[in-house]
Amino acid sequence: MGQANGRKSIFITGAASGMGLETARLFASKGWFVGGYDVNGAGLAALEKELGPDNCIVRKLDVTDKDAYEAAVADFGDATGGKMDLLFNNAGIGAGGLFADMDFADNLRVVQVNFIGVLNGIHAALPLLKATGNSLCFTTSSSSATFGMPGIAVYSATKHAVKGLTEALSVEFKLIGVRAADVLPGLIDTPILPEGAAANAPKEGMFRAIPPVEVAKVVWKAYGSDKLHWYVPPELVELDKMATNAPEATREQFATTGPLAGLLAQAAEAAKNKG
């Protein structure tokens, strides 16, 4: 286990792959001490080997286990002298399908990882964040937090919750000298995507496939900024504005041109014939 020895430090969940892995690499290249946490033990071992054991601490962690999360934060604090410059709540899972057809247990697991896991992390890390000047609590939300996305309804709901939590805490945490912000990524080419999704994505526009290193770059920029919401790619902010200003029009656009438009039309026709 490495020691920070005065270096700035970042605690990253979901660090074994995708956006978390790229963030760990980027911050390590900038001279930061990295805490990497994931359920993927093999991926963490590879990360530790890549960064060097003197530059990081890695630990297998299920973010839904609050006791385990608190123990991981305690170990991190031992290595950093009780400091944490940046908490990156990044771990997340997805489950797709029509809500009426999905196994309810799968939906609950998404809530547990994507939202309860974030609550666990912020609560556990807050003493270290408070003890560190200019610290940042940074969380992965999603473009699906701009408007509720059909086909990933519960996932989308958890990301709306993350966005709302971040907004509230960005105000509350001013009282204790901690900043809060989030990133709303679009289609990021990571293992969470269904097979072939990135290859079949549009080549242009807000839903083009984006390499995960672009999110890592945003995490780096966010540490030096007071900006609240970060969109990757940036044009996703227009979807957020549209959903706020014209929710009914946004709803109709998803229903008529979105990926579920065909299924919705079939369901309507079936209901008509049944009637």
Side-chain angles (χ1 to χ4, degrees):
M1 182 177 76
Q3 296 289 319
N5 296 322
R7 288 176 285 179
K8 289 186 180 297
S9 61
I10 181 172
F11 186 111
I12 306 170
T13 61
S17 64
M19 298 182 297
L21 174 59
E22 293 297 342
T23 301
R25 287 169 169 164
L26 178 59
F27 276 74
S29 75
K30 303 287 189 180
W32 283 49
F33 181 77
V34 174
Y37 303 87
D38 205 296
V39 293
N40 180 353
L44 291 176
L47 174 64
E48 182 179 39
K49 182 177 180 180
E50 178 180 344
L51 301 187
D54 292 336
N55 299 316
C56 64
I57 175 175
V58 301
R59 180 178 178 137
K60 195 170 181 179
L61 174 64
D62 178 350
V63 297
T64 69
D65 185 334
K66 192 170 189 301
D67 290 339
Y69 213 137
E70 290 175 349
V73 169
D75 281 351
F76 183 85
D78 288 342
T80 64
K83 304 290 185 179
M84 184 187 293
D85 293 278
L86 204 162
L87 168 65
F88 185 25
N89 294 298
N90 173 65
I93 61 172
L98 297 177
F99 180 84
D101 298 334
M102 290 184 64
D103 187 322
F104 195 65
D106 290 340
N107 284 327
L108 290 182
R109 179 64 180 166
V110 170
V111 173
Q112 287 292 323
V113 173
N114 293 4
F115 188 57
I116 303 301
V118 168
L119 293 178
N120 287 341
I122 296 173
H123 188 265
L126 196 53
L128 298 187
L129 293 170
K130 287 170 62 177
T132 310
N134 198 41
S135 62
L136 173 63
C137 174
F138 197 70
T139 306
T140 298
S141 181
S142 167
S143 59
S144 68
T146 57
F147 186 86
M149 297 289 180
I152 51 170
V154 174
Y155 175 87
S156 180
T158 64
K159 296 305 184 176
H160 274 80
V162 163
K163 185 184 180 190
L165 178 69
T166 301
E167 291 171 349
L169 295 184
S170 71
V171 178
E172 290 187 17
F173 284 2
K174 284 182 177 291
L175 301 174
I176 54 176
V178 176
R179 294 174 293 138
D182 60 21
V183 58
L184 288 81
L187 190 67
I188 308 299
D189 191 2
T190 70
I192 198 173
L193 290 182
E195 185 176 353
N200 295 324
K203 301 304 180 186
E204 299 179 348
M206 66 178 69
F207 289 113
R208 65 187 184 275
I210 304 290
V213 69
E214 295 304 315
V215 175
K217 293 175 183 177
V218 159
V219 184
W220 177 256
K221 291 178 182 177
Y223 179 72
S225 170
D226 198 39
K227 186 175 178 179
L228 178 56
H229 297 307
W230 296 79
Y231 298 84
V232 181
E235 52 264 43
L236 279 167
V237 71
E238 297 306 319
L239 178 59
D240 210 346
K241 292 177 181 178
M242 181 174 71
T244 300
N245 295 329
E248 293 81 11
T250 307
R251 177 189 64 198
E252 294 309 307
Q253 181 171 331
F254 275 109
T256 56
T257 63
L260 291 181
L263 283 175
L264 292 170
Q266 291 174 22
E269 186 65 23
K272 178 180 177 182
N273 293 335
K274 185 176 180 180

